[in-house]
Amino acid sequence: MNMLNQQRDYVLRTVEERGVRLIRLWFTDVLGNLKSFAISPAELENALEDGMTFDGSSIDGFSRVQESDVLAIPDPNTFVMLPWADNKAPEARVFCDIYNLDGSPFGGDPRQVLRRNLQRAQAMGLDFLIAPDMEFFYFAPPENGQPPKPLDEASFFDLTTTDVTGTLRKETIRTLETMSIPVEYSFHEDAPSQHEIDLRHTDALTMADSVMTFRLVVKEVAAAQGVHATFMPKPLEGVQGSGMHLHLSLFNNNGTDDSDSNAFYSPDDAYNLSDTAKKFMAGLLHHASEITAVTNQTVNSYKRLVPGFEAPVHVSWARNNRSGLIRVPVPKKANPSATRIEYRSPDPACNPYLAFSVILAAGLRGIEQNYELPAEADANLFEMHDGDLDKLGIAQLPQSLSEALNVMESSTLVREALGEHIFEWFLRNKRSEWRGYKTQVTPFELQRYLKSI
Amino acid sequence: MVMDLIAVFPESPSPELARTLDMAGFRWKAFGSADAVIKAEPTEGWLGAIVMADEDMEGAWAVCRVLRKRDGIQVPLMLLVTGAQLDDLALRDELFTDFCLLPFHPRELEARLKHVFAHMSSSIKPDVVDYGGLALNLETYQASIDGRPLDLTYMEYELLKFLTQNPGKVFTREILLSRVWGYDYYGGARTVDVHIRRLRAKLGEEQANLIQTVRSVGYRFGQSRWGN
């Protein structure tokens, strides 16, 4: 029996042994929304073998009507029991890859896009590992048009005995661990009701699946207690927004002696960064503006990327300087396997498959074309004037979704990384989001102009 | 790793026997006495034994007895006797698994050995692996700890199965990756760390140290306070 057959067998036997009543087939639309349809155990064997056909035109960014049918094939490696299902009627989930009916990978499937980009890295003998810091807010259930209500006024690392949100976080972590998502740290963040849960690194595909699961788990656990959890990048004015800082590293996987070693580490460098790491960083910095529409895909994302709230604004890198776009964490002592870079602009509202794809593509481009890493920017960039930044050659990230889309549109790197299908659809969809936003007359304008003009 | 060594008696077996074993790809070692066989036994036990009785019948029976006397798993034992010795087999059924007449036909002996050893290795693989409170049912793919079912992904289950089937041994990440995953996987050997971390979380705090990290080497399953 080959590996795939064994995995299928494992899934089928588990469904039988555990009396699973419903299997949820999960996949992701272009915008990063989790989609699901459920099948009965009787249909599972067939689904694992031949996939399930469904109408792709019902999913945002998938097919146009005339070519609408696509095939969802479960990835048996991602089969897990759903911990929140009723004990008497157990449920399980499995992520799917979407294919065209002719068996070719479907261009509108973000998971397939990430697979394709990871294959490029593998062909270069590199594994791409990611550990995200997930930030989010707990609020009282939102009422239409009302500002969000924080559940607590506690701040960073506060411990209070009656901390309901702390209990939520604990329950969330327990649920994540039972679903094979290891948690590294968790704490109360700066802003009221803001929390952070840091996941332990895995390969990028597993991590993209984990981020999808994570967002659902956080919301499910909160909802069970009547609390609303949100990954909106900037829900409260005047306090920090929610980011999804990504700790990135490449490991050699080339079958030679240095296989399994951290490709970012060099004992000979002052920063312990290898040439590969520097070129990867240079690639990320060079293409940062082009990929920002993907890593920060909402109108609201750009309200987070402003000075003064620990979110990056400028395209720069530094060690332990949290105002830069890339931070190089300095370990207490040299630790080859922990050497990594932290990419700080993405927010948790992105589509993780697409964000990881464009980040990897940008970094690999730097390696392939031997980009030169600019000098470290160790001053606090938040306090510098634009003129001084220009002198240092430090550019700003796009200031709005519209600006980000313009830069993305002219990027062949992003076009190649995402593929024609998603690239075109994403631009169309996001431009229309921007148009919708632009026609709004905001409270800011009313307050500022109504009386005075 | 796996037990694959065969004990052969007497110390200098006939060239025909040596050639047959070599050609069939068996790994073997020859000994002159029952004591020597026991002394040289690998920790995971012999795959089997071949006892040639034509020259020293008493010595041969001694080897059979010492291998058969012990508790637990019976080592498959192939006895080679001459026609004149056939009567001596009476009432000694429990001392050997199968026998072959001397002079043997190489193809016949090889076929019989493969049959006896294969039969044995399938019967020593139990359907349930038990270790402390941990139980793995290999038939149904289900794992439980202290009677509580463990929800494992396929690779977590396979990794745990491999480790529990080889308790006390240290494996590097690379070995685990090649033996358990068996193919290039996104994430390479780091994938092993991720799965070990997940397994520990699922085993629960009390059992988390069933899987130990052996610094700068890899991982080992099981430890002395549970025996073994």
Side-chain angles (χ1 to χ4, degrees):
Chain A
M1 232 186 335
N2 66 26
M3 176 73 86
L4 189 59
N5 284 336
Q6 282 175 22
Q7 289 180 342
R8 287 174 183 159
D9 201 37
Y10 178 81
V11 169
L12 291 169
R13 283 310 288 261
T14 303
V15 164
E16 202 178 299
E17 290 293 322
R18 301 299 298 277
V20 172
R21 299 284 180 82
L22 214 58
I23 299 102
R24 299 194 178 273
L25 305 188
W26 284 9
F27 56 97
T28 305
D29 71 11
V30 173
L31 297 177
N33 299 305
L34 187 61
K35 299 287 166 182
S36 164
F37 58 97
I39 61 173
S40 71
E43 278 179 283
L44 180 60
E45 186 161 6
N46 182 35
L48 287 168
E49 287 286 334
D50 303 326
M52 298 293 287
T53 308
F54 70 98
D55 181 2
S57 65
S58 57
I59 306 295
D60 269 351
F62 272 31
S63 328
R64 287 183 292 274
V65 181
Q66 65 272 24
E67 39 168 65
S68 58
D69 273 2
V70 291
L71 204 55
I73 300 186
D75 177 350
N77 201 27
T78 63
F79 177 89
V80 296
M81 304 286 291
L82 289 177
W84 55 81
D86 181 359
N87 273 341
K88 290 187 203 95
E91 297 179 17
R93 77 101 208 271
V94 60
F95 276 101
C96 293
D97 291 302
I98 312 294
Y99 291 84
N100 296 309
L101 294 184
D102 67 6
S104 58
F106 174 58
D109 177 17
R111 201 167 190 265
Q112 296 276 23
V113 168
L114 180 55
R115 272 185 190 282
R116 179 166 51 73
N117 282 281
L118 289 173
Q119 277 157 11
R120 273 197 59 220
Q122 272 213 321
M124 295 167 73
L126 295 166
D127 286 322
F128 185 36
L129 300 191
I130 301 184
D133 302 343
M134 305 294 296
E135 293 176 340
F136 57 91
F137 282 84
Y138 287 130
F139 291 126
E143 288 162 52
N144 245 344
Q146 296 299 305
K149 280 197 210 88
L151 290 184
D152 61 28
E153 301 292 333
S155 66
F156 212 53
F157 287 123
D158 262 9
L159 284 174
T160 50
T161 44
T162 55
D163 186 357
V164 56
T165 57
T167 315
L168 283 178
R169 213 170 61 219
K170 241 184 288 170
E171 176 63 15
T172 302
I173 291 167
R174 204 189 56 76
T175 309
L176 289 170
E177 295 271 5
T178 62
M179 296 184 78
S180 296
I181 303 177
V183 169
E184 189 133 26
Y185 302 109
S186 81
F187 43 88
H188 196 296
E189 261 290 358
D190 270 0
S193 264
Q194 191 188 24
H195 293 261
E196 172 166 336
I197 295 180
D198 300 351
L199 305 183
R200 247 183 90 93
H201 67 258
T202 67
D203 67 273
L205 184 65
T206 302
M207 188 51 76
D209 291 343
S210 293
V211 168
M212 296 307 296
T213 309
F214 179 94
R215 293 197 295 219
L216 182 69
V217 167
V218 168
K219 282 177 172 286
E220 285 276 341
V221 170
Q225 304 296 324
V227 171
H228 179 72
T230 183
F231 293 94
M232 184 173 171
K234 187 83 172 188
L236 295 175
E237 194 183 304
V239 297
Q240 289 194 6
S242 292
M244 184 174 76
H245 303 155
L246 298 176
H247 297 261
L248 312 172
S249 57
L250 292 174
F251 273 72
N252 291 308
N253 183 15
N254 47 15
T256 62
D257 281 352
D258 62 349
S259 217
D260 191 35
S261 59
N262 189 332
F264 277 4
Y265 176 77
S266 164
D268 310 322
D269 179 76
Y271 304 147
N272 282 339
L273 288 176
S274 68
D275 278 354
T276 303
K278 289 177 184 169
K279 290 174 194 168
F280 189 93
M281 288 164 67
L284 256 181
L285 293 174
H286 186 93
H287 298 285
S289 295
E290 298 162 40
I291 67 175
T292 300
V294 179
T295 55
N296 305 74
Q297 64 165 347
T298 69
V299 165
N300 182 251
S301 296
Y302 297 84
K303 311 265 158 110
R304 170 179 160 254
L305 299 177
V306 295
F309 297 98
E310 293 222 341
V313 182
H314 301 100
V315 181
S316 68
W317 76 277
R319 286 168 294 170
N320 281 348
N321 180 343
R322 288 170 194 273
S323 65
L325 177 57
I326 296 177
R327 182 175 77 99
V328 178
V330 178
K332 283 180 259 3
K333 56 179 186 200
N335 179 356
S337 67
T339 302
R340 61 189 189 274
I341 63 168
E342 181 185 347
Y343 191 62
R344 296 175 56 83
S345 62
D347 64 52
C350 72
N351 179 330
Y353 300 96
L354 302 184
F356 297 173
S357 294
V358 291
I359 286 169
L360 178 63
L364 292 185
R365 179 66 60 88
I367 295 174
E368 283 166 340
Q369 304 199 354
N370 291 314
Y371 285 2
E372 183 107 12
L373 181 65
E376 179 180 6
D378 37 16
N380 187 343
L381 303 175
F382 292 149
E383 285 157 14
M384 290 175 74
H385 297 291
D386 286 353
D388 295 336
L389 290 165
D390 283 347
K391 262 183 240 155
L392 289 170
I394 293 174
Q396 285 200 338
L397 283 172
Q399 298 289 292
S400 68
L401 182 60
S402 171
E403 198 185 313
L405 290 170
N406 287 340
V407 190
M408 170 180 160
E409 191 165 24
S410 57
S411 168
T412 49
L413 177 115
V414 175
R415 185 184 286 271
E416 281 166 25
L418 297 184
E420 207 65 32
H421 182 128
I422 288 186
F423 185 80
E424 292 292 340
W425 191 91
F426 186 92
L427 281 172
R428 262 203 317 279
N429 178 279
K430 288 296 168 183
R431 288 234 190 269
S432 116
E433 181 175 338
W434 177 254
R435 276 195 301 276
Y437 172 66
K438 217 170 55 171
T439 58
Q440 296 283 316
V441 177
T442 62
F444 171 89
E445 291 158 277
L446 292 176
Q447 214 165 34
R448 183 131 181 162
Y449 308 127
L450 186 62
K451 283 187 189 160
S452 66
I453 305 178
Chain B
M1 188 118 321
V2 285
M3 45 183 211
D4 59 355
L5 203 59
I6 295 170
V8 174
F9 175 88
E11 197 157 15
S12 41
S14 66
E16 292 88 334
L17 180 58
R19 194 164 52 240
T20 304
L21 294 179
D22 289 342
M23 296 288 282
F26 289 114
R27 289 184 55 219
W28 57 278
K29 257 188 179 161
F31 302 95
S33 71
D35 279 354
V37 170
I38 291 306
K39 244 188 213 157
E41 185 173 25
T43 46
E44 65 271 25
W46 299 108
L47 171 66
I50 300 165
V51 177
M52 205 155 149
D54 56 341
E55 280 177 23
D56 178 4
M57 192 74 186
E58 281 316 304
W61 287 129
V63 173
C64 294
R65 250 178 250 118
V66 81
L67 283 173
R68 281 299 157 109
K69 239 185 195 159
R70 290 162 326 135
D71 301 328
I73 301 155
Q74 296 260 302
V75 176
L77 199 151
M78 171 63 71
L79 190 65
L80 303 178
V81 291
T82 62
Q85 293 172 315
L86 276 177
D87 284 348
D88 291 310
L89 301 191
L91 299 176
R92 286 185 168 121
D93 278 345
E94 78 285 2
L95 287 183
F96 55 90
T97 314
D98 197 0
F99 71 95
C100 201
L101 268 186
L102 289 165
F104 62 84
H105 188 292
R107 300 259 320 262
E108 181 194 351
L109 181 62
E110 183 185 337
R112 281 179 184 272
L113 286 173
K114 286 208 165 133
H115 175 73
V116 163
F117 294 159
H119 176 71
M120 202 56 204
S121 57
S122 69
S123 67
I124 60 167
K125 263 193 215 152
D127 289 342
V128 177
V129 181
D130 256 310
Y131 198 95
L134 179 68
L136 267 77
N137 187 324
L138 306 184
E139 190 75 22
T140 64
Y141 293 123
Q142 296 309 295
S144 64
I145 188 117
D146 300 330
R148 165 178 64 91
L150 283 177
D151 287 330
L152 303 178
T153 68
Y154 173 71
M155 290 321 304
E156 287 162 11
Y157 172 82
E158 286 293 311
L159 176 62
L160 188 59
K161 183 176 91 177
F162 182 81
L163 289 171
T164 49
Q165 285 178 330
N166 298 280
K169 293 206 184 65
V170 182
F171 295 102
T172 63
R173 294 176 175 80
E174 291 72 20
I175 293 285
L176 288 173
L177 194 69
S178 72
R179 294 292 296 272
V180 178
W181 277 260
Y183 64 103
D184 274 347
Y185 187 81
Y186 296 122
R190 293 293 126 192
T191 300
V192 176
D193 297 344
V194 172
H195 282 75
I196 294 278
R197 170 67 177 75
R198 290 173 172 180
L199 277 178
R200 282 180 177 150
K202 290 184 178 185
L203 288 171
E205 255 168 54
E206 283 172 24
Q207 309 275 13
N209 52 1
L210 264 180
I211 305 173
Q212 294 176 292
T213 304
V214 181
R215 264 187 78 85
S216 52
V217 185
Y219 298 102
R220 176 177 58 209
F221 178 84
Q223 62 184 60
S224 52
R225 70 180 159 113
W226 278 281
N228 275 332

